[in-house]
Amino acid sequence: MRIILLGPPGAGKGTQAKSISNKFSIPHISTGDIFRKNISEKTPLGIEAKKHIDKGHLVPDALTIDIIVDRLDNEDCINGFLLDGYPRTVNQAEALETILEEKGIVLDTSLLIKVPREFILSRMTGRRVCLNCGASYHITFNPPETDGKCNLCGSSLVQRADDSEETVSERLDIYDAQTQPLIKYYGDKNLLSVVDGTQAINGVFESICSILGEIKK
Ligand code: ADP
Ligand code: AMP
């Protein structure tokens, strides 16, 4: 399975990605997680990315595309992958197309988790993440079993610096301007499936599984 997850920040891409990755045994590749790991390790990439991420802006395509080129070269991607948060611009989508063509690989689908803007603010301000494994929780909608600790690896949960109310609004505007055009981009290629992301987490997962089950047949 070779899948792209699309949807606004806070739609639930990371949450669903963990379950999809487990069920279909494909690596979950999140450019956001890769940037956050680099930021916490203070690498040159992390220091540069932080300047953009903290303002709610996209990291420049040149940096982001290189990360994906490297990551898709990894052996664990041979039998499939799940991209979460990439592509975010048409330029990134075109670069991905070139990378996949060179590898002789085709995408199965992009999956849009559709969530209207009015749902997003409460999801993002209540989000808590594990910087170690990337798992995402919500203080009300999906609390961890032990307060402040990741269910999967036991590490401490933190609130993302870019999940403040002001930054969320900027990120949503950028999504509308730069990422939303990908819906038409993949729709025109007949590579778009849509799920209702306003359902509860399990309901969204069931909808995704039924779409992916059809594709696998
Ligand atoms: P994304 O990766 O698309 O930015 P996340 O998966 O991190 O989004 O989800 C954003 C926040 O919303 C998290 O706090 C998560 O626990 C919560 N969340 C995810 N899916 C749902 C849902 N279907 N209903 C309610 N809250 C959700
Ligand atoms: P995410 O974890 O997907 O919400 O990403 C967090 C932040 O990382 C985004 O708001 C961007 O600043 C940056 N980022 C992640 N993926 C990309 C990408 N494909 N292109 C540009 N910036 C990205």
Side-chain angles (χ1 to χ4, degrees), residues 31-32 35-36 53 57-59 64 85 88 92 160 171:
T31 37
F35 287 135
R36 280 184 289 279
I53 292 176
H57 297 166
L58 295 184
V59 177
T64 309
R88 261 179 157 98
Q92 291 181 14
R160 281 170 47 173
R171 288 163 69 196

Side-chain angles (χ1 to χ4, degrees), residues 16-120:
Q16 297 300 331
K18 288 273 172 223
S19 306
I20 299 168
S21 162
N22 277 338
K23 184 171 168 103
F24 294 93
S25 302
I26 47 176
H28 166 206
I29 301 173
S30 155
T31 37
D33 284 351
I34 294 170
F35 287 135
R36 280 184 289 279
K37 192 161 197 318
N38 277 275
I39 290 170
S40 73
E41 290 169 359
K42 297 196 169 64
T43 66
L45 170 67
I47 291 166
E48 180 57 31
K50 188 175 183 335
K51 294 181 201 159
H52 305 279
I53 292 176
D54 283 356
K55 287 188 246 163
H57 297 166
L58 295 184
V59 177
D61 282 347
L63 287 178
T64 309
I65 291 168
D66 277 355
I67 288 175
I68 285 295
V69 170
D70 276 1
R71 185 62 187 85
L72 290 178
D73 257 345
N74 217 297
E75 220 173 288
D76 65 346
C77 295
I78 285 174
N79 293 319
F81 52 77
L82 173 62
L83 292 181
D84 159 15
Y86 185 100
R88 261 179 157 98
T89 62
V90 170
N91 191 23
Q92 291 181 14
E94 287 168 349
L96 177 65
E97 209 169 302
T98 306
I99 301 166
L100 297 184
E101 264 168 26
E102 281 168 2
K103 291 181 182 293
I105 286 172
V106 287
L107 276 181
D108 288 299
T109 193
S110 70
L111 259 175
L112 169 65
I113 305 182
K114 199 171 174 189
V115 179
R117 201 170 170 131
E118 61 267 26
F119 281 73
I120 301 287

Side-chain angles (χ1 to χ4, degrees), residues 5-17 28 30 33 36 84-85 88 113 115 119-120 122-129 134-143 160 163 171 196-205:
L5 286 182
L6 293 177
K13 300 182 296 297
T15 303
Q16 297 300 331
H28 166 206
S30 155
D33 284 351
R36 280 184 289 279
D84 159 15
R88 261 179 157 98
I113 305 182
V115 179
F119 281 73
I120 301 287
S122 61
R123 285 196 185 183
M124 286 169 86
T125 51
R127 169 159 61 186
R128 300 293 180 270
V129 296
S136 179
Y137 300 86
H138 191 280
I139 48 174
T140 312
F141 307 139
N142 183 25
R160 281 170 47 173
D163 275 348
R171 288 163 69 196
D196 173 7
T198 65
Q199 304 171 84
I201 292 174
N202 287 344
V204 178
F205 186 55

